[in-house]
Amino acid sequence: MAKQYSRRDFLKTGLAGALATVPLLGAACTPGYEFDLLLIGGLLYDGSGQAGILSDLGVKDGRIAAFGNLRERKARRKIDVTGLAVAPGFIDFHSHSDEELLLGGEAQSKIRQGVTTEILGQDGDSLAPLNENMRAELHEDLSKRFGLAVDWVDFTGYFRRLEAGGMITNAASMVGQGTLRQLVVGLEDRPAAAEEIAQMQALLRTALKQGACGISSGLEYTPGSFASTEEIIALCQAAAGKTIYSTHMRNEDDTLLEAVAEAIRIAQEAGIALNISHLKASGHNNWHKQPEMLARLAAARQAGLRVTCDRYPYTAYATGLASLFPLWSRAGGNEAFLHRLQDVQVRTQLRPLVQYEADKIGGWQSVMISSLPNHPRRKEYEGMNLAELAQAGADPFDLLVQFLFIEKGGGGMVGFAMREEDTAALLADPYCMPASDGSALAEQGVLRSGNPHPRSFGTFPRVLGKYVREQGLMTLGEAVRKMTALPAQTLGWSDRGMLKLGSWADVVVFDPKTVADRATWSEPHQYPVGIPFVIVNGQLVIDQEKFTGTLAGRVLRAPA
């Protein structure tokens, strides 16, 4: 891992250095003001993992300009944050806000958690690059749901579109291995030819030159799952030594350890850093595998591989209803999948396989419907589990198939598959980044829909409230490090993720005594409490827990 700053380092580069720079900054300021913003009296957690230090913080021109006793200095705005914690803005390393951030100020559920940067393009699925068929399909979907036009085909165009509409948070994006495969190979389950691998490598290089920050895979989803280990190694070699490979592994339950071994092999042979997305041992029969899973990652680290992971602070995952079905049945896309489901013999073959997937996580009562956007009784059904919905005499499997036909292969679910002690152990791991695996949604408006996983509203305050304050799982300083400096270091960023002179002023102010998530399984659309101020690139976006209307976010492009 990159060096962690000590209290001595912080004092050297922070308080003393900042005070020395104030006269220089004053010369360039608006007459009468030395700073744009001063936070007075806060306990500063710089991201190093150390305990907080009592200090004021000054912001000028979007960057951190000074520390120390600044109470008497002049600023456009002074905010007394006595008794509150001041930390770098949280970085959500695994986010699915790729579409929602196009809606600007509508997408508020992350910024209200103190998240100032989201990492998009996860699970092998990114909004670029696209061929014309992919662009047209995405355009149809986004225009129907949000009234948005899709006028891009590469990351240059996507990033330009994000910034043109105004961004509520910063964002970076990985390029999806599944997206590359769909563009070049299509949706079929077949090996990629040598020339197709070369084409995907070229597309990956172009995406990285355009600013993508890594490559992701979603090997339990189609079409990325149809790639062999050797194909993924060859693809990642095009980015060797330059970026990171972040993977939703081939399996997170029955063949979990084999999937971990594959992920490590890919990274080692490709010469690339590894991050394992939403790391877990899923299903009652697999919980005992977590210690061995962590031991294998530690051994890879000992062997010199850069390895991190991310995880949300909940015991349930969220995915599509179709994920309960085997990969072979989903080959070729939703139309082919639904065609197979129409065949009585195929459904008979699938029934015990899907039943097994449900049984692994505790039965149909552990499968909660999160989204049925096309169903006439969606508001009644969303938030209920399949066991409850089947009480009127319906068979849960038949009901599931019915939903898939209505949703044209779509629809969402939440699966209660993990146990609390394992979740806590993962969150406590020094190389694990708390991350939402969710989207930026809203309490009201176009982004309030369905019955989503509460992680989209509560991930970061839940870590601070439940796992730091209530359970003492980790110190507050360590929790801040894992949500700020660790993801920044993982991506090689030197000017974000820590409170230090010259860094961009992405800052969150929260009350350690009261910060808490409010989103629940039955009522997820609730913003947290105890986070009164959030600053993005030096501008107040959340002021006294209210959205100011300021869209200060930027696309954080990786260096070419």
Side-chain angles (χ1 to χ4, degrees):
M1 284 181 62
K3 176 187 178 226
Q4 288 190 18
Y5 279 72
S6 67
R7 289 173 68 88
R8 184 182 296 274
D9 293 324
F10 178 64
L11 287 166
K12 277 193 203 172
T13 61
L15 306 184
L19 291 174
T21 65
V22 168
L24 284 175
L25 288 171
C29 287
T30 303
Y33 296 109
E34 294 176 285
F35 299 100
D36 297 319
L37 177 66
L38 282 177
L39 301 178
I40 304 297
L43 195 60
L44 271 58
Y45 291 85
D46 68 342
S48 68
Q50 303 297 319
I53 294 176
L54 189 62
S55 173
D56 304 333
L57 183 150
V59 174
K60 175 60 185 171
D61 295 331
R63 295 183 182 265
I64 296 174
F67 301 101
N69 184 356
L70 308 174
R71 187 173 294 271
E72 302 305 319
R73 312 305 279 260
K74 294 183 179 180
R76 289 179 175 275
R77 172 86 183 269
K78 288 185 181 181
I79 302 176
D80 189 339
V81 293
T82 301
L84 303 180
V86 179
F90 304 141
I91 299 173
D92 190 351
F93 196 87
H94 191 106
S95 172
H96 290 285
S97 301
D98 308 57
E99 300 170 356
E100 288 79 5
L101 287 181
L102 292 165
L103 295 174
E106 295 284 344
Q108 294 185 27
S109 72
K110 297 289 187 69
I111 192 72
R112 288 176 178 271
Q113 295 180 57
V115 172
T116 56
T117 300
E118 300 193 58
I119 311 303
L120 314 174
Q122 300 292 344
D123 295 337
D125 186 16
S126 55
L127 291 195
L130 309 171
N131 60 29
E132 184 52 37
N133 287 338
M134 294 164 69
R135 189 204 65 79
E137 184 178 343
L138 182 63
H139 174 82
E140 181 180 2
D141 177 49
L142 294 189
S143 61
K144 177 182 177 182
R145 290 193 293 131
F146 301 138
L148 294 174
V150 176
D151 55 2
W152 68 85
V153 294
D154 60 8
F155 276 101
T156 296
Y158 174 56
F159 289 160
R160 184 185 300 123
R161 181 62 185 278
L162 275 172
E163 292 178 324
M167 299 172 62
I168 197 167
T169 63
N170 300 313
S173 181
M174 297 191 180
V175 57
Q177 169 264 343
T179 299
L180 295 177
R181 200 172 206 276
Q182 181 177 353
L183 194 159
V184 175
V185 181
L187 299 173
E188 298 304 315
D189 182 1
R190 67 169 178 84
E195 59 270 21
E196 290 172 327
I197 293 175
Q199 187 178 350
M200 286 188 282
Q201 289 175 322
L203 288 166
L204 172 58
R205 292 189 190 100
T206 298
L208 295 175
K209 288 179 181 178
Q210 293 176 345
C213 65
I215 177 170
S216 75
S217 68
L219 301 183
E220 285 192 303
Y221 301 117
T222 61
S225 56
F226 301 142
S228 66
T229 305
E230 290 72 22
E231 178 184 320
I232 301 171
I233 291 171
L235 180 59
C236 287
Q237 283 173 338
K242 300 175 183 177
T243 186
I244 188 168
Y245 171 60
S246 190
T247 180
H248 174 140
M249 297 185 297
R250 191 84 63 178
N251 186 271
E252 297 175 323
D253 44 66
D254 289 355
T255 56
L256 167 67
L257 298 179
E258 293 85 345
V260 169
E262 181 191 35
I264 292 171
R265 180 191 165 198
I266 290 169
Q268 287 176 331
E269 295 190 21
I272 195 169
L274 172 66
N275 180 73
I276 298 183
S277 300
H278 39 65
L279 187 64
K280 66 176 75 73
S282 182
H284 300 192
N285 57 323
N286 297 297
W287 288 345
H288 68 281
K289 297 176 182 177
Q290 178 164 304
E292 175 64 19
M293 173 185 72
L294 292 175
R296 292 191 182 196
L297 297 180
R301 228 174 263 121
Q302 286 276 337
L305 186 65
R306 287 177 53 208
V307 183
T308 54
C309 64
D310 60 68
R311 176 58 193 273
Y312 41 84
Y314 299 87
T315 58
Y317 61 80
T319 188
L321 290 172
S323 67
L324 291 170
F325 290 73
L327 286 170
W328 62 261
S329 68
R330 294 181 265 148
N334 282 342
E335 187 175 342
F337 174 48
L338 295 176
H339 181 73
R340 292 186 188 99
L341 289 183
Q342 288 175 333
D343 188 311
V344 175
Q345 289 185 334
V346 175
R347 282 209 309 275
T348 301
Q349 183 182 0
L350 286 171
R351 181 183 292 272
L353 302 178
V354 175
Q355 183 68 55
Y356 175 71
E357 292 300 314
D359 289 343
K360 276 194 303 190
I361 63 173
W364 295 111
Q365 65 268 25
S366 294
V367 180
M368 187 186 83
I369 300 298
S370 61
S371 175
L372 292 174
N374 299 319
H375 200 286
R377 301 176 68 178
R378 57 173 297 188
K379 291 185 179 179
E380 177 186 350
Y381 287 178
E382 289 170 344
M384 295 182 67
N385 64 58
L386 276 171
E388 293 172 323
L389 290 170
Q391 283 182 355
D395 177 87
F397 175 80
D398 291 338
L399 195 58
L400 174 61
V401 171
Q402 179 190 116
F403 289 161
L404 285 166
F405 279 124
I406 292 173
E407 300 302 329
K408 299 179 180 179
M413 61 165 281
V414 168
F416 294 83
M418 289 81 78
R419 60 180 173 184
E420 178 59 33
E421 53 263 45
D422 291 342
T423 297
L426 281 168
L427 291 171
D429 187 280
Y431 295 92
C432 182
M433 299 172 282
S436 74
D437 193 15
S439 303
L441 304 177
E443 283 187 340
Q444 303 294 334
V446 68
L447 291 179
R448 179 192 171 103
S449 64
N451 198 89
H453 196 301
R455 63 194 182 188
S456 290
F457 287 81
T459 290
F460 293 86
R462 183 175 179 86
V463 170
L464 296 171
K466 177 176 180 176
Y467 291 102
V468 174
R469 183 178 64 244
E470 296 175 9
Q471 296 188 7
L473 184 68
M474 62 190 100
T475 66
L476 182 54
E478 176 66 1
V480 168
R481 179 191 73 84
K482 287 155 66 67
M483 297 191 291
T484 59
L486 180 57
Q489 291 163 357
T490 299
L491 291 169
W493 295 346
S494 60
D495 58 355
R496 296 185 193 267
M498 291 194 72
L499 299 181
K500 60 182 182 179
L501 282 178
S503 287
W504 287 101
D506 294 337
V507 182
V508 56
V509 179
F510 61 91
D511 187 343
K513 298 184 295 296
T514 64
V515 61
D517 61 310
R518 297 173 60 238
T520 65
W521 300 108
S522 59
E523 296 184 24
H525 299 93
Q526 300 187 77
Y527 297 137
V529 294
I531 306 177
F533 303 102
V534 184
I535 299 161
V536 179
N537 295 313
Q539 299 188 56
L540 272 168
V541 179
I542 299 297
D543 188 350
Q544 296 288 6
E545 298 194 2
K546 295 181 180 179
F547 175 46
T548 65
T550 299
L551 299 177
R554 301 173 184 173
V555 171
L556 306 184
R557 295 169 176 83

